[in-house]
Amino acid sequence: MRIVISAATSAIAHQCALAWARMPGAEFELIARDVQKLDGFANDIITRHPAVKVHQHIVDFEDAQAIGALAQKLGETPIDIVLIAQGSLTDQALAQTDFNYLKSELGLNAVSSMLFAESFAEQLAKWGKGKLAIIGSVAGDRGRASNYAYGATKAALATFAAGLQQRFAGSSVSISIIKPGPTKTPMTSGLNNSKMASAESVARVIVAGIEARKRVIYAPKQWALIMFVVRLIPFAVFKRLNF
Amino acid sequence: MTLTAWGRLRTNEAKISEPATLGDLVGRVASGEQFLGLGLARSYGDVGTNGDGVSISSANLNKMVSFDPESGLLTCEAGLTLRDIQQTFCNRGFMLPVTPGTSFVTIGGAIANDVHGKNHHFAGTFGDHVVEFDLVRSDGSITTCSRNQNEGLFRATIGGLGLTGFIARATIRLARVAGGWVETETIAYGNLGEFFSLADDSEADWQSTVSWFDCSTRKAGRGSFLRGNPSGSTDPLAAASSSLAVPLVPPISLINKLSLDAFNIGYYHLKKATSGKARMNYREFYYPLDSIQHWNRVYGPKGFYQYQSVVPRRDGAEVTKEMLQIIARSSAGSFLGVLKTFGDKQPAGLLSFARPGVTLALDFPNRGEATEKLFAKLDVIVSEAGGCLNPSKDARMSRQMFEAGFNRLAEFGQYRDPNIASDFSRRVID
Ligand SMILES: Cc1cc2nc3c(=O)[nH]c(=O)nc-3n(C[C@H](O)[C@H](O)[C@H](O)COP(=O)(O)OP(=O)(O)OC[C@H]3O[C@@H](n4cnc5c(N)ncnc54)[C@H](O)[C@@H]3O)c2cc1C
């Protein structure tokens, strides 16, 4: 089972990797921006699962050409799973005043993920099979005052994934959009995160969802219902809510 | 963010930071701000809390770095949990050589409290199996410490209550085992004399020994002795199933005289009924309470204390008897009384708690003054016997009691990091 993970140094992606590593025959192509950091995560996988093969790749997450070339290279042999996990929790207040910051956040959270999705979808299409999953967020389901700069990028990814799904419908290429609820990771460590779901439990849901070729994966699962309700709240009520 | 130690006696409004890389960590440690290292907050009292100040948590430093199956040496970041290590290695023929009674403990916390397990007479303390570690100090330095390199700082940090620096990563030696199983024998005993003969007789042939006893009824002194050895079984062990939890804090303590007596008597008979030999998986044997998450909540909003003493073996029987009588009379009774003997190994760290002798550990619901009075009486007995109390369980011992029990405190002082303090250090050291 050959698995490509971009932003392999994110906590959720790493927990997914550990879950896959427990399965027989897992082999990883890990992609990240920071060599040293990636090395630490790769070592963690190998130390826990000495039989697992791990290859590391460093790339500039916003260099369209480089991403395409990497996908091409990795796609020379068939890929079973692609997980695209980059993302940074945008500081909404800062994004409203510092437009350079806003721009770079939009770039990483939306553009970079789409470049990876497009590049790797092409490789899966070439072999006529494979599962591609993109990490979005429940924050993309409805714009909220507290996090719309972040939420909008995640909504864009959901739409992008929906398009890919239609494009590959009826083939053996499956596309999933993952919508984690707030998760206890380094990304949320500034927030009061003690009640959040663990990255490990979120990863379990994701791995099972990808395996089942689900189009939309809420993790933990109860977020599907919560967001269903949130989307239905009339604006007249919604505008007064504070969450 | 709120931070509560295991005893739930107090809630701190802590500033918790969770660095995710070594670079991040060094930046926080050397920021000039006073701080304390934080693991999983499984210490009962105040060694792991820092008032409303900064706690630097190892929550995101939980990666394994390398493992050598030849030597059993595991290098890992300090936030890695004992639970994770046991689960990862038990089916690969290795386990931790020493483990406390819960697996929800970090490597950093296990070193800083130089924790002990049921096999002290066989394997010493956790610190005895630490080969080296990297210590980050508030001057921005990263010092590798081992028995050959910076030995003073090494010995000060083992059992050093987090006060010498932040442990970033460590190398520990795992023990070779066949698998995750333990061959055990449970024996009911009727009085303390029987306990001590069982303990003595078991030392040579059994790696682990421990006992639970009843201290709430007039028959105080009877209990259940458990001993174990690693099994030769190589049957693979499935991962732990999801556990029960006490979902919220009940408005009052559920531990009262009635429920206690019922529990202790019930526990005694249960153990008596299941006396004999059995093969247990390591979780049942080492971590019987880990299957109920947040069990500490049953003591209600006021929380609870654990009183853990160690006294020299010479008068151990007499002293233990006296303590149990006082406790039984006080009817401040205890949910779980643990009695065991420590072996003759000398402590690994300057401030290590575990030392040759007899150790007694009891949980008491916090009933304010009544509980304090009981502890004061017990303190006198422990002090007169030349014993001491376990800092990782303590929230109330006096400065004199700490100084008397830890005679290398002055030597320890030279290794302190000037920017680290805890509620415990402010109470009894600083
Ligand atoms: C149910 C239960 C059973 C237990 N049984 C035993 C037992 O049998 N034997 C025993 O010895 N103990 C036992 N304990 C106590 C427990 O093992 C110790 O308190 C342990 O140190 C807790 O580890 P922690 O990771 O939660 O650390 P914390 O409680 O968060 O911190 C403990 C100390 O370590 C320091 N520290 C934490 N991380 C670092 C770091 N990276 N660098 C420097 N300092 C650091 C803290 O400042 C603090 O002083 C038990 C506790 C419970 C709840």
Side-chain angles (χ1 to χ4, degrees):
Chain A
M1 190 168 57
R2 193 152 168 268
I3 302 164
V4 174
I5 304 180
S6 87
T9 57
S10 95
I12 292 178
H14 185 61
Q15 288 302 325
C16 289
L18 293 181
W20 280 315
R22 281 192 280 273
M23 300 175 185
E27 176 177 352
F28 292 99
E29 307 288 350
L30 304 183
I31 308 171
R33 292 181 287 188
D34 180 333
V35 193
Q36 231 183 338
K37 213 172 156 192
L38 182 57
D39 219 34
F41 283 82
N43 279 338
D44 187 53
I45 299 175
I46 300 165
T47 307
R48 291 165 187 273
H49 304 280
V52 169
K53 283 207 198 75
V54 178
H55 312 281
Q56 303 182 36
H57 309 276
I58 300 300
V59 72
D60 176 347
F61 274 15
E62 285 171 69
D63 183 338
Q65 214 107 61
I67 295 166
L70 179 61
Q72 192 104 45
K73 188 176 98 189
L74 296 181
E76 280 168 11
T77 44
I79 299 169
D80 296 290
I81 296 174
V82 179
L83 175 66
I84 298 165
Q86 48 264 62
S88 119
L89 188 60
T90 307
D91 178 336
Q92 178 64 33
L94 185 61
Q96 284 166 214
T97 53
D98 181 342
F99 295 164
N100 281 323
Y101 171 72
L102 174 61
K103 186 174 165 211
S104 86
E105 286 290 299
L106 296 176
L108 177 70
N109 284 340
V111 180
S112 172
S113 297
M114 291 180 193
L115 291 172
F116 271 85
E118 201 55 60
S119 311
F120 279 96
E122 188 190 328
Q123 300 305 317
L124 300 189
K126 186 176 85 190
W127 293 99
K129 67 179 185 75
K131 307 182 184 98
L132 183 140
I134 309 168
I135 299 194
S137 167
V138 294
D141 279 5
R142 187 160 189 179
R144 288 187 292 133
S146 61
N147 69 353
Y148 60 85
Y150 177 73
T153 61
K154 296 300 190 178
L157 295 181
T159 304
F160 202 86
L164 287 170
Q165 281 160 359
Q166 197 192 20
R167 182 174 141 202
F168 291 109
S171 81
S172 294
V173 174
S174 66
I175 311 287
S176 305
I177 179 78
I178 300 158
K179 299 183 180 179
T183 308
K184 190 166 167 37
T185 66
M187 190 173 93
T188 55
S189 88
L191 313 175
N192 201 344
N193 63 5
S194 57
K195 294 224 166 65
M196 294 181 183
S198 71
E200 196 184 343
S201 66
V202 165
R204 265 199 300 273
V205 177
I206 294 174
V207 166
I210 294 175
E211 178 58 31
R213 297 180 183 269
K214 280 199 178 162
R215 289 198 300 277
V216 182
I217 302 168
Y218 282 96
K221 287 179 178 142
Q222 62 263 33
W223 282 97
L225 179 62
I226 298 170
M227 295 319 294
F228 177 73
V229 174
V230 167
R231 279 193 307 268
L232 288 182
I233 300 172
F235 184 71
V237 178
F238 190 71
K239 69 183 182 190
R240 278 178 278 138
L241 296 180
N242 176 23
F243 67 89
Chain B
M1 261 174 267
T2 57
L3 175 61
T4 316
W6 191 247
R8 305 184 53 86
L9 290 162
R10 263 208 311 269
T11 300
N12 293 47
E13 266 315 311
K15 301 182 193 70
I16 302 177
S17 93
E18 301 176 333
T21 63
L22 182 63
D24 247 10
L25 171 68
V26 176
R28 309 273 171 102
V29 168
S31 72
E33 214 171 350
Q34 189 262 22
F35 75 96
L36 180 69
L38 175 65
L40 281 173
R42 260 16 184 231
S43 301
Y44 283 65
D46 54 4
V47 295
T49 59
N50 182 25
D52 293 348
V54 175
S55 282
I56 301 182
S57 156
S58 59
N60 291 322
L61 299 167
N62 52 7
K63 289 188 288 301
M64 297 191 186
V65 177
S66 65
F67 178 69
D68 174 14
E70 291 294 309
S71 59
L73 292 183
L74 170 69
T75 300
C76 61
E77 295 176 344
L80 189 71
T81 66
L82 304 191
R83 186 181 175 80
D84 200 349
I85 294 175
Q86 301 286 52
Q87 253 165 26
T88 304
F89 289 100
C90 74
N91 291 331
R92 284 164 67 183
F94 289 93
M95 292 198 82
L96 288 162
V98 168
T99 173
T102 174
S103 62
F104 294 106
V105 163
T106 63
I107 288 291
I111 295 174
N113 274 325
D114 192 17
V115 298
H116 62 269
K118 298 177 171 64
N119 61 351
H120 182 269
H121 64 275
F122 176 76
T125 58
F126 197 86
D128 286 312
H129 307 272
V130 174
V131 174
E132 75 172 40
F133 52 76
D134 289 341
L135 193 68
V136 182
R137 314 229 314 159
S138 61
D139 58 8
S141 63
I142 305 176
T143 312
T144 301
C145 306
S146 68
R147 286 174 185 77
N148 315 316
Q149 207 179 346
N150 302 304
E151 196 205 349
L153 194 52
F154 181 76
R155 302 260 175 219
T157 302
I158 292 175
L161 309 174
L163 300 172
T164 61
F166 192 99
I167 302 159
R169 63 148 78 172
T171 299
I172 53 176
R173 193 184 301 278
L174 301 187
R176 211 174 281 277
V177 292
W181 301 89
V182 186
E183 301 296 342
T184 71
E185 185 171 20
T186 306
I187 303 163
Y189 61 85
N191 58 53
L192 281 177
E194 286 179 35
F195 162 79
F196 281 103
S197 347
L198 274 169
D200 289 344
D201 294 348
S202 303
E203 266 200 17
D205 296 331
W206 296 86
Q207 292 186 10
S208 292
T209 61
V210 69
S211 87
W212 287 272
F213 68 93
D214 181 347
C215 54
S216 62
T217 69
R218 241 156 261 121
K219 296 221 176 92
R222 62 186 189 172
S224 170
F225 191 90
L226 172 67
R227 54 193 186 186
N229 274 329
S231 168
S233 166
T234 51
D235 292 351
L237 201 67
S241 52
S242 60
S243 49
L244 302 170
V246 178
L248 40 82
V249 183
I252 52 158
S253 170
L254 300 180
I255 308 297
N256 56 38
K257 178 85 175 89
L258 251 175
S259 67
L260 260 174
D261 283 2
F263 177 83
N264 276 335
I265 295 167
Y267 198 76
Y268 175 77
H269 288 291
L270 181 74
K271 281 283 173 187
K272 204 167 168 182
T274 58
S275 275
K277 301 197 170 177
R279 176 177 300 171
M280 296 186 191
N281 73 44
Y282 74 85
R283 290 184 291 263
E284 297 169 86
F285 183 74
Y286 292 114
Y287 316 120
L289 286 171
D290 278 5
S291 55
I292 310 169
Q293 275 184 51
H294 308 299
W295 62 257
N296 54 340
R297 289 177 177 168
V298 301
Y299 287 94
K302 290 200 186 121
F304 71 110
Y305 291 94
Q306 180 167 110
Y307 191 92
Q308 183 179 14
S309 56
V310 59
V311 296
R313 188 56 210 275
R314 198 166 38 91
D315 310 318
E318 268 314 298
V319 172
T320 307
K321 193 167 163 200
E322 208 180 326
M323 290 174 75
L324 291 190
Q325 276 165 354
I326 289 183
I327 292 163
R329 249 183 277 135
S330 75
S331 69
S334 181
F335 183 53
L336 249 195
V338 177
L339 182 60
K340 80 169 258 92
T341 48
F342 284 145
D344 289 334
K345 235 171 160 9
Q346 288 310 304
L350 299 184
L351 297 188
S352 293
F353 162 74
R355 58 194 72 186
V358 184
T359 182
L360 183 65
L362 301 137
D363 291 353
F364 295 93
N366 174 17
R367 292 184 188 147
E369 216 173 307
T371 313
E372 280 167 38
K373 275 199 183 130
L374 168 67
F375 290 160
K377 284 186 203 154
L378 297 176
D379 285 354
V380 173
I381 302 175
V382 171
S383 299
E384 279 177 359
C388 70
L389 300 182
N390 187 345
S392 77
K393 310 290 177 72
D394 180 68
R396 38 74 50 197
M397 81 167 108
S398 69
R399 193 174 281 261
Q400 295 90 302
M401 182 120 191
F402 182 67
E403 285 170 359
F406 295 84
N407 56 15
R408 300 180 76 175
L409 189 57
E411 192 184 343
F412 175 78
Q414 63 182 307
Y415 299 106
R416 279 284 295 272
D417 186 309
N419 264 359
I420 305 181
S422 62
D423 289 331
F424 181 87
S425 80
R426 280 186 285 271
R427 185 161 60 78
V428 305
I429 307 178
D430 301 343

